[in-house]
Every structure is written in structure tokens, then in C-alpha cells.
Amino acid sequence: FNFTVRSALEGGKNMIEEAKMAGSYVKWQITRLCESQNESSVRAELAKLRRGIGKSPGSMPELWDMTLAQLPEALSGKGDTPSRGEWAVYIPLTLYALHQQGKDIKTQCMHKDGVSLGAAAGSLVDSDDNMTRIKRRFDAAATSDSLDEFVHHLRGLVQLLKAEDKPLDYSALAEDIYRFQSAYQRDSIRLSWGRDFYRQLRNSDNKTQTD
């Protein structure tokens, strides 16, 4: 094997493994909140997470327990700025808290396995009239060239999902955000989102026709 090719393959393998770690961590934290019997504590944690939206990982000590304390070593940063893994965990957890606001976490959890960002966006389309509006917002997120830009548009999508009581797989989102931070992985993520968006539309059309 050429050294450069081998290094690229090994790097890709590590990225997939670390992305899955980020997804597992996010799912574990959300499951912990959903299964907790201390409702006041859960509400307080979600409120703190919401206050972290738009800020950087590590900038709010009250969030260290949820976003840093038990993070796998492979995802923890070593330098002066947040690592790819720290961002991949922090963004989904804070946005999940926004999505869950005002809803019963036990009977209406806004995390749902298998609902990718593309599928969730597609679920918002219920007429030709709002197809253009939803697609424009989804495209703006998908075509973002930086993490900051992506998160700005993602927050708008989450607010739409919240308003319509539509869930999202935050574990899968964490994996996507981890990989999205690599310019070489971005097109692959976009392709997956696009496929899921139109698959959801087709499934909705088929269900409508069957009904």
C-alpha cells in the first residue's frame, strides 16, 4: 500500500469510529434524562443546556458534567480550542434541549432513533406550498461551508420540528456533525441527507395514496 493511501484509509476508519462514539455518548445522555425519576433535575439540566446554544463547548462550567465529564478520551480535545468530538456532542445536546422544551420527556421525547436530519426535514413537508420554504431552509443547512453556518441553519430547522412535534435522531446528528467538520466527508453527508429527504417524501406520498 502507498503510505498516503494507507494513512487516508486509517484516518477514515478512525473518523467513523469516533463519530459513532459521539453518537453513543449523545444517546446515553438523552436516555439518562428520559429515564430519570427526578423531574425537577431533568428540567434544570435541559434549561442549562438551552442556555448553552450558540456558545462553545467548555465555556459554561455548569455544562461540563453533561458535555465533558465522561466523554471518551478519543473525543476530548488537547489544544486551546474545542475538538471535533466535543463539538459533535455539544451541538446535538443543546439543540435537543431546545427541541424538548415544553414537551413531556417521558411521553413525547423528541429524540427518535432512525429519523435522520434529511428524513426529519422531509417530514415537515405536508403540501406543495411549504415544500419550497422547507427545502430552502434545508438546502441552506446542507450547503453550509462552516460549522458555525451549519449550526445557525440547523437551529432554525430544529425550531420548525419543535413547532410541528416532529422528532429527530440526535445520536445520528452527532455522527453527522462529527463527519461534517471534515471537508472531505461533507459531500457524503449531504448525499445521505438528500436521499433521506426524498425517501421521506416518497413514503409520505405512498401513505397518502394508500389512505
Side-chain angles (χ1 to χ4, degrees):
F1 250 152
N2 176 287
F3 174 77
T4 304
V5 174
R6 184 170 66 247
S7 297
L9 290 173
E10 290 172 352
K13 182 179 179 181
N14 289 340
M15 180 174 291
I16 292 171
E17 290 174 352
E18 289 169 11
K20 288 181 178 178
M21 283 183 202
S24 295
Y25 183 89
V26 166
K27 186 172 182 178
W28 168 68
Q29 286 286 17
I30 291 175
T31 300
R32 179 183 63 79
L33 291 170
C34 289
E35 294 180 350
S36 173
Q37 299 305 309
N38 190 334
E39 293 183 14
S40 61
S41 175
V42 169
R43 284 195 298 270
E45 286 191 70
L46 290 172
K48 285 189 288 188
L49 284 168
R50 282 193 294 274
R51 290 196 291 273
I53 293 173
K55 296 181 172 63
S56 297
S59 64
M60 294 177 62
E62 61 264 42
L63 296 185
W64 290 352
D65 256 3
M66 287 175 276
T67 60
L68 296 176
Q70 298 188 58
L71 200 63
E73 186 64 27
L75 302 182
S76 297
K78 305 294 189 295
D80 296 332
T81 58
S83 69
R84 182 181 291 166
E86 287 163 347
W87 277 116
V89 162
Y90 185 86
I91 293 166
L93 286 175
T94 54
L95 289 180
Y96 166 73
L98 171 65
H99 199 165
Q100 192 62 51
Q101 187 178 21
K103 305 180 194 300
D104 188 322
I105 198 169
K106 294 195 180 300
T107 62
Q108 196 179 17
C109 181
M110 288 293 102
H111 163 81
K112 184 176 180 181
D113 290 344
V115 184
S116 72
L117 183 61
S123 74
L124 291 168
V125 178
D126 58 11
S127 68
D128 291 340
D129 290 340
N130 76 351
M131 171 65 174
T132 301
R133 179 174 63 92
I134 299 301
K135 182 67 163 51
R136 187 189 308 117
R137 288 194 175 220
F138 183 47
D139 287 354
T143 58
S144 299
D145 290 323
S146 70
L147 187 62
D148 283 346
E149 183 186 358
F150 173 65
V151 172
H152 170 74
H153 294 299
L154 177 60
R155 182 177 180 178
L157 283 171
V158 168
Q159 288 171 325
L160 289 177
L161 293 169
K162 176 186 176 185
E164 297 296 327
D165 294 335
K166 302 288 188 180
L168 174 63
D169 187 335
Y170 279 89
S171 175
L173 180 64
E175 294 187 34
D176 289 347
I177 289 174
Y178 187 94
R179 295 176 59 204
F180 189 85
Q181 293 174 79
S182 166
Y184 298 104
Q185 291 283 313
R186 234 166 257 166
D187 281 346
S188 173
I189 295 296
R190 287 167 178 152
L191 175 62
S192 177
W193 287 339
R195 285 170 172 166
D196 289 348
F197 180 81
Y198 285 103
R199 186 178 295 117
Q200 176 64 37
L201 294 184
R202 287 194 297 272
N203 290 342
S204 297
D205 286 345
N206 291 337
K207 183 178 185 301
T208 300
Q209 290 169 11
T210 301
D211 290 344

